[in-house]
Structure formats: structure tokens, C-alpha cells
Amino acid sequence: MSEIIVVQVVLDKPLSQSFDYIWSTEELGQSPKVGHIVEVPFGRAIDVGIVIGVSNHSQYSIDKLKNVKGVAPLPPFDSSLLRLMNFASQYYIHALGETIVPTIPQMWRKSADWEKIPKKLQAAANKKAKEINVEAIEGYISVEQLNAEQAAGLKALVDLSSDRNFSAILLQGQTGSGKTAVFLNWLATVLKEEAAQVLLLVPEINLTPQLERRVRAYFPDKTLAVLHSGVSEKQRGVAWYEAMTGKAQIILGTRLAALTPIPNLRAIVVDEENDPSYKQQEGTRYSARDLAVWRAHDQKIPVVLSSATPSLETWLAAKTARYEYIRLDQRAQGAQLPKVHLINTRDPQNQFSPGDKNSPQKKSLISKTLANAITQNLQERKQTLILINRRGYSPVLSCGACTWLSACTQCSSHTVMHKAGALGKKAVLSCHHCGLVNPIPSFCPECGNADLKMLGQGTQKLEDVIEEMWPDANVLRVDTDSSRKSKGAEVLFREIHDGNVDIVVGTQMIAKGHDYQNIGLVAVLDADSRLYSPDFRAAERLFAQLVQVAGRAGRAGGAGDSGGNIYIETQYPEAAVYQYLLRHDIDGFLAHTAREREEALLPPYSYQSLIHAEGKTLDKALQFLGGLKGRLKNQGLLSKALRVYDPVPKAVMRVAGSERAQLVIESESRKLLQEVLEIIDRDLRGDSQGRISKTSRIRWLIERDPIAI
């Protein structure tokens, strides 16, 4: 009789343990290996899991163990990826199975389709070969075409990565300084090794197509795998397979690509490393940037963190020599940086008066100063970019006769008015938190008043105003309503690049990464709404966004040319964020922010975690978190070194009918915080089924390094 083989398998369940199964080599046709994707029975269902251990015994009776039913037609995960997953599971206090299994594309999680996959892969390869064309390639800048500063940056990158060891490198450069050309030429030196693979991360889907075209220009003979949530499940499954098997030399994607199996990984680039989009906000709440650095350290390879406005954490690491530091302080073509203009909206001189020439019939959403600048820019045949961080037509519908506001019935927020064509054939009220959509009432639901007013403005309303003020201009709106898919967004951006648009109105989608060639003026409306927020990172994020959107202007100018203009409407021009922007003093702003954080003992001078709780009532959620704090106090865990604040409701207290609260835990020691979080996890799991408390029915979650509190 052959020896019994037992494998330990983890599944996508909120359970910390693995499960034992019998492995039959005869039935499965191969021996088990750690990292195999397998099909196993679990309860009454069939699930897909990962083998994390192989042995010849079990703590359970062998005759009670079920058999592994199938093995995916894939090589097992490589050991480096399993180390990464183990670290992510432990650091982010999430079960290993629910950390690793969701990273596998659906195509490979449907075991019933495994037999059909070889045909799908062949069909996809044939289609891919036909789709690549010369039009999809642009933006190649050779080593010889780099300016002196770029060439020096490239040499520094090559020198730092020549010893085949770990190095974290901050590549900080002004917008338009040519950082992309530098790191793509550097990756070309890495990819001279035939089997080498590289990982290139971008923060958002809409930045992927432009960078994809540039990558194809640099590496026409290399296989490129594109991974983000905007591609179809089949495309993602094929790209993931090509990365896992080493066929794809370049893996380009958003944060989910950071957890892709890449067996021959030799270098990582994290573009726009400061972007909060790298932090996952559901499931395992990991930071793709931080995991990229950990992965590079573990595999002893270089990682480049590129940004015009580095995060405070990364900037301090470079300033204290924990990271290497390369700077590009001049625009690649030699043009000047854009000139910053602050428009004080409290000053009557900046506003239209009834007697002014070209004064709009209704109250203008745009100041007179900005309107005149836009008119001048249009006369110079330059494009205008207008940023407002609110989509929809009007944020709130209100009744002038009573106190009624268009509140969401499921969330503690207001529904936003969207005009016809955005979310349906008719204008609707939509909640941006739960997705609830309702028709617009003809009269006030509370008092019957038919005179309902729209408060505030979003991209749709601004689009209408601009079309009225400049009727001869071609106006384009770019937001998630106008570009539901990445292909849709790409069509919109192509319109801008081709010069078919005079004025672009959009949300933060238009603000970063895009290499527009004819933008002469950038305007930012309602900037203050992002500045005054309970989040201590609000000023840092606003500053980064303003630098990024300002950098869209004047990029194509040559030596000595004007860098364009950025106009910012604000009630508080004296605020530090605007004053440092006036001088383009990024380092000065970061140093100012660092001093403030150090005085307040806020990250990166401390480490934070959130305990999330949600239930049917707010009182129960707060009581649940209060009880947890009481138990920590009784165990003697509260001290100056570990601060646990009182539980409070979340900023948006109710979402989709669930009441939400949070508990902030803070420590100056990352190790101490980790130890306490592991204690909390064991404590809460002791009375929970998964992550739902058996006694109070509260759903809970632990989040490390939150980016929003």
C-alpha cells in the first residue's frame, strides 16, 4: 500500500487555519507541491484553494479526510510569491487564504473550465498577435535623446542596480521632467537578461493605455502583460498566466498586479508612488507600494519609486538615506514651470458685476479673472483644463420652503443630481456611496413645494456653464460618468491629444500622468473643499494634486518657453499649501508638513491602525468597540507607547443601511502595534464566526496603515 499523502490547503474564507486533504498521486497524475492551485470539496460546495504544506500525517483521522479533486494546469506558485503572501497576511492581519486566493483571476478559479483553458490560451495568443499595430506605439525617447539631467539620472539608476542587490530609489522629478523616459531606458538595461521580468505599477486604470503605448515603443520584441480591473476576466487570466509562466517579460498594471506571480522578477517601478489609489480599500487592505518595496527587499532587486510629489514617508526615507535619491529638477524640453495665480474669491474685484462686458446672465460659477484668462488662452489657440473634484450636476437638491434635502435613504449622505444621459435616459438622484438611484421629485416630498433648488456644482453643471459662456469652443467632460470603461476614457483622452477639444472639464482623472501637448491654462475650482477635512493628510493630497494638474500645462514648450498658467480659486490664498505652490517649493512643503506631523506624533512619526465595526445600529457598533478597548485596558496594554482612542462614528456613518464606527490605535513602535493587533485578532475571533461577532452580530475588520480616518 502506498504511503498516505496529506496536503494543507487554504481557502478564501475568513478563517486563520488551513484544511487537510488526501492527495492521490494516481488520480491526479502528479506529486503535490507547495503552491499548487487545487480543487477541493468544502462543506457542500467545491472550492479552489492553495497548497501550503505537504506531509504524511494529520491531526485528524485519515478516514475523515476528503480527497483533492483536481489540480489547475499551472506550475505551482514560486516560493518568493508565497513569502510575499505570508507577509501580507501577517502584517495586514488577514487570513492567508483570503489574501492569496482573490488575487487569482476568475478564469483560474473556475475549476470546471480548467480543461478548456489550453484552447482559450491559444486563441488569445493568436488574437493578441493580430491586435498589436504600429498606431499603438508612441513616445520612444532613446538614451541619446535624453537631456544631461536625465542621462545623469539614468546612469545613477544603472549604477545603483548593477550589484544585483536590493535598493529602494526615489526618482523625484518636476512634472514634465521626463521621469518615464529615464526609468523605461533603465528597464531596457535590466531586460537585456533573456529571462528577466519587470513589474511596472501605475495608480489608476486610465493611465495604463498611454504608458502601454510607450512601453511597446521601447520594447517591441518583448511580451507585455496588462493587469487591471478594466480588462475582461479572460484577458486578465491570460495576462496573469503569461506573467506566472515567465512568458511575459513586462507586467504593467494597477495595485492588483503587485501580487502577481512573477518567477524571474528583476526590477520594480512604482509610478506616482504617492497616489492613495495604491491602498486597497476592501478585502485585504494592503498598500501595493509598500508590498512592492518589501518584495524587492525579499528578492534582492531594485525598486524605483517615481513621483513629482513624493509621499512624506518616501521623501523622509530618501532624506535620511534609507532610500537612494535621484532628482530631475528641470523640464525635459527646457520649458519653464507653469506660473501660479491665486484668485481670492472673497475679493469683489475678481467677480463679475452686472455692468461688466460679457457678464453672464446668471450668477457665474467662474470668476471674472479666470474667465478673462480662459478667453485669452482660447485666442492663443491653446487648450484649457478645468478641474473640479465633484462629478454630477448638483451635489444637493433642496427645498426653499422647508428643511428638506436630497438625502440618501440608505446612507448618511446626500444624493447627487445627474442630468439625463449620464446614468440613464432621464435626470436622476444618485448616491455615490451605495449606488442608489431615484427619479428627481417634481415637488418637495415633505411640504409639497414645487420650487426645488440645486445647491453647489459638479462637472455636468460646469460643462453647461462653459458651453454658455464660450459657445464657439469645443467642450469635453471627463469623469467616471462619461468614461465607464478604460476604452471609453482612452477615447476621451485621445480627443484631447489630437487637439479636437478647446476646453476640458473633469475630475482628478485629468490631473496626473497624461502628457498633453497643447494645454496653455489649467484652472482649479473649489480647491478649498479638499483642504478643510478631518483627514490630517488632506493638505498633502491637495498639494500633490495641484502640482500634478499644474504640470499638465506647457509640457511641450522648448528651452525658455512659457510653462503655461494655473489659476486656483480659493477663499484662503494665505494657506501654506497655496503659498508653497506659488514657489513650486515641493521640498519646502514636505519639510513644513513633516514638522507639523512630528509635533503631533502623526504618521510617519507613529503607526496607526483602525478597527472597523458595522451593524444594524450605531450604538451596538460603538458598544462593541468600547468593549474591545475595555478589554485592552484590563490586560494592561494601554500605555504612553500605545494609545487607543475612544470609538467614534465614521465620517460617513451609514452606508447601504449599515451603521459604521471606528477605533483608532496608535503607537510609535511598529512592532508593539503589530503584537497588539495580533492579540486583538485572536480576541475577536474567539467570539466570531469569520469576522462577525456571535453575540452582537457586529461585522469587524482590522486595517493597518489606514490612509483615511
Side-chain angles (χ1 to χ4, degrees):
M1 184 178 175
S2 58
E3 185 181 31
I4 295 291
I5 302 176
V6 178
V7 292
Q8 288 75 50
V9 177
V10 291
L11 304 167
D12 184 12
K13 310 289 181 187
L15 304 168
S16 54
Q17 77 269 29
S18 60
F19 300 89
D20 287 1
Y21 289 90
I22 299 291
W23 182 287
S24 171
T25 302
E26 288 184 9
E27 291 181 13
L28 299 173
Q30 58 184 304
S31 299
K33 291 182 180 177
V34 171
H36 264 140
I37 300 175
V38 293
E39 173 192 23
V40 295
F42 188 79
R44 297 181 180 180
I46 299 295
D47 266 334
V48 167
I50 310 294
V51 175
I52 62 164
V54 181
S55 61
N56 56 13
H57 65 276
S58 172
Q59 60 179 334
Y60 305 102
S61 175
I62 294 294
D63 57 4
K64 291 184 178 180
L65 299 185
K66 297 178 181 179
N67 281 32
V68 173
K69 294 181 68 67
V71 188
L74 283 168
F77 284 145
D78 61 281
S79 58
S80 62
L81 183 84
L82 292 174
R83 289 195 302 273
L84 175 71
M85 293 295 188
N86 269 298
F87 169 77
S89 168
Q90 292 168 17
Y91 184 76
Y92 293 106
I93 319 291
H94 225 65
L96 180 58
E98 60 178 347
T99 298
I100 190 170
V101 176
T103 68
I104 303 171
Q106 285 287 349
M107 174 175 163
W108 297 98
R109 277 191 269 165
K110 294 179 180 177
S111 53
D113 294 342
W114 282 349
E115 291 183 4
K116 306 173 188 175
I117 281 180
K119 287 184 179 179
K120 288 184 178 180
L121 293 174
Q122 186 57 53
N126 295 339
K127 184 180 179 183
K128 193 173 183 180
K130 292 178 182 177
E131 284 180 347
I132 297 174
N133 55 61
V134 178
E135 292 179 4
I137 295 172
E138 66 180 27
Y140 176 71
I141 299 173
S142 67
V143 174
E144 292 74 26
Q145 292 173 298
L146 298 177
N147 63 30
E149 192 177 50
Q150 288 174 305
L154 174 60
K155 183 179 184 304
L157 277 179
V158 173
D159 291 346
L160 287 169
S161 56
S162 61
D163 60 354
R164 297 248 175 159
N165 212 330
F166 167 71
S167 56
I169 306 155
L170 170 59
L171 177 61
Q172 180 181 342
Q174 293 284 0
T175 52
S177 61
K179 298 182 292 296
T180 305
V182 171
F183 66 64
L184 286 178
N185 274 293
W186 170 64
L187 290 179
T189 67
V190 176
L191 288 169
K192 285 179 180 177
E193 180 189 336
E194 189 174 344
Q197 293 175 285
V198 297
L199 173 62
L200 180 50
L201 295 177
V202 292
E204 293 182 8
I205 294 172
N206 68 75
L207 294 178
T208 311
Q210 179 178 291
L211 188 54
E212 181 181 348
R213 290 193 296 272
R214 292 198 69 177
V215 168
R216 291 198 189 282
Y218 277 82
F219 309 104
D221 58 337
K222 302 289 185 184
T223 301
L224 171 65
V226 179
L227 287 159
H228 56 72
S229 58
V231 300
S232 69
E233 280 298 336
K234 182 180 176 182
Q235 288 173 315
R236 185 189 162 201
V238 171
W240 185 85
Y241 169 80
E242 290 178 339
M244 183 189 200
T245 54
K247 182 180 177 182
Q249 288 86 38
I250 305 161
I251 294 84
L252 168 64
T254 52
R255 63 175 177 263
L256 61 83
L259 298 175
T260 300
I262 309 172
N264 303 312
L265 187 60
R266 296 292 181 268
I268 302 174
V269 173
V270 184
D271 199 16
E272 309 289 356
E273 66 83 25
N274 60 293
D275 199 292
S277 299
Y278 282 123
K279 183 71 158 63
Q280 174 79 358
Q281 290 299 302
E282 55 187 34
T284 308
R285 300 198 174 193
Y286 63 89
S287 164
R289 178 201 63 194
D290 294 351
L291 288 184
V293 174
W294 190 94
R295 190 173 190 175
H297 182 270
D298 177 65
Q299 295 189 234
K300 296 181 173 55
I301 60 173
V303 55
V304 171
L305 306 172
S306 173
S307 179
T309 53
S311 63
L312 188 58
E313 291 83 354
T314 300
W315 184 79
L316 285 172
K319 284 291 184 180
T320 55
R322 286 197 297 117
Y323 290 179
E324 304 293 342
Y325 201 179
I326 299 173
R327 297 182 63 111
L328 304 177
D329 292 321
Q330 303 295 323
R331 284 191 152 183
Q333 307 300 323
Q336 299 172 19
L337 290 170
K339 187 175 181 181
V340 180
H341 307 265
L342 300 178
I343 301 174
N344 187 345
T345 54
R346 291 179 294 178
D347 186 346
Q349 291 186 350
N350 288 321
Q351 305 301 332
F352 280 105
S353 299
D356 285 337
K357 186 181 178 182
N358 300 326
S359 176
Q361 295 179 354
K362 300 177 183 177
K363 183 181 177 182
S364 177
L365 302 180
I366 294 175
S367 67
K368 179 173 71 173
T369 305
L370 177 56
N372 291 337
I374 292 174
T375 299
Q376 177 68 30
N377 192 60
L378 290 172
Q379 290 172 354
E380 294 174 0
R381 299 187 177 279
K382 296 283 187 180
Q383 293 173 307
T384 298
L385 206 65
I386 303 179
L387 172 70
I388 181 168
N389 260 325
R390 188 179 287 116
R391 64 187 174 96
Y393 194 87
S394 176
V396 185
L397 200 63
S398 75
C399 173
C402 70
T403 59
W404 180 82
L405 297 171
S406 57
C408 176
T409 56
Q410 300 294 313
C411 306
S412 53
S413 63
H414 296 106
T415 52
V416 178
M417 179 184 167
H418 289 255
K419 68 181 183 180
L423 299 177
K425 293 181 180 179
K426 295 182 178 180
V428 295
L429 292 172
S430 171
C431 176
H432 291 179
H433 293 283
C434 71
L436 180 72
V437 176
N438 284 321
I440 295 175
S442 303
F443 50 82
C444 175
E446 292 189 1
C447 73
N449 174 37
D451 185 19
L452 298 179
K453 297 180 179 179
M454 293 172 286
L455 303 180
Q457 62 273 343
T459 49
Q460 294 174 0
K461 189 173 184 178
L462 189 59
E463 179 186 24
D464 287 352
V465 168
I466 289 169
E467 287 176 342
E468 181 185 331
M469 294 180 72
W470 293 280
D472 296 330
N474 292 320
V475 182
L476 179 69
R477 174 168 53 85
V478 181
D479 56 25
T480 52
D481 294 330
S482 61
S483 56
R484 286 291 170 186
K485 296 180 181 178
S486 60
K487 285 185 179 178
E490 178 61 8
V491 169
L492 297 178
F493 290 125
R494 177 54 58 190
E495 287 287 300
I496 303 170
H497 289 295
D498 290 346
N500 300 328
V501 180
D502 298 314
I503 302 176
V504 184
V505 179
T507 56
Q508 61 180 354
M509 287 177 66
I510 64 173
K512 56 198 169 194
H514 298 286
D515 192 19
Y516 307 123
Q517 294 297 297
N518 193 37
I519 300 292
L521 184 149
V522 171
V524 181
L525 308 187
D526 199 21
D528 298 336
S529 64
R530 296 204 69 185
L531 181 59
Y532 294 95
S533 158
D535 187 352
F536 65 85
R537 292 184 178 89
E540 182 184 355
R541 289 189 185 143
L542 175 61
F543 183 80
Q545 185 181 67
L546 293 176
V547 170
Q548 288 287 351
V549 75
R552 300 315 105 199
R555 296 174 70 88
D561 287 353
S562 166
N565 295 279
I566 174 170
Y567 287 80
I568 301 168
E569 293 192 346
T570 173
Q571 294 187 57
Y572 311 101
E574 68 281 356
V577 64
Y578 302 128
Q579 290 300 311
Y580 281 106
L581 186 72
L582 273 174
R583 304 190 294 272
H584 295 283
D585 188 1
I586 294 169
D587 288 351
F589 175 78
L590 289 170
H592 166 81
T593 304
R595 289 191 296 271
E596 288 187 335
R597 299 270 187 90
E598 188 173 21
E599 288 174 8
L601 276 181
L602 287 169
Y605 297 97
S606 66
Y607 303 95
Q608 291 181 330
S609 182
L610 276 182
I611 314 297
H612 300 268
E614 62 177 69
K616 290 185 176 180
T617 68
L618 180 62
D619 284 346
K620 281 193 173 182
L622 291 170
Q623 187 178 3
F624 174 84
L625 294 174
L628 172 61
K629 180 180 179 181
R631 292 195 297 277
L632 293 175
K633 185 176 181 180
N634 293 338
Q635 294 176 56
L637 294 173
L638 275 60
S639 65
K640 286 185 177 180
L642 185 87
R643 298 174 290 278
V644 180
Y645 296 92
D646 289 335
V648 295
K650 284 181 170 289
V652 181
M653 186 178 68
R654 185 173 70 256
V655 171
S658 290
E659 303 284 348
R660 312 186 310 159
Q662 64 185 27
L663 183 74
V664 178
I665 302 177
E666 191 175 73
S667 176
E668 291 160 56
S669 165
R670 192 194 293 267
K671 184 172 182 286
L672 175 60
L673 181 59
Q674 185 72 24
E675 291 170 352
V676 171
L677 291 179
E678 289 172 0
I679 291 170
I680 291 172
D681 187 54
R682 287 195 297 270
D683 175 89
L684 294 179
R685 284 187 184 278
D687 177 49
S688 297
Q689 184 173 2
R691 279 195 200 84
I692 299 177
S693 169
K694 293 176 184 176
T695 52
S696 62
R697 306 308 298 166
I698 295 293
R699 185 182 297 275
W700 56 270
L701 180 75
I702 300 172
E703 180 181 4
R704 284 300 312 261
D705 305 331
I707 59 167
I709 293 179

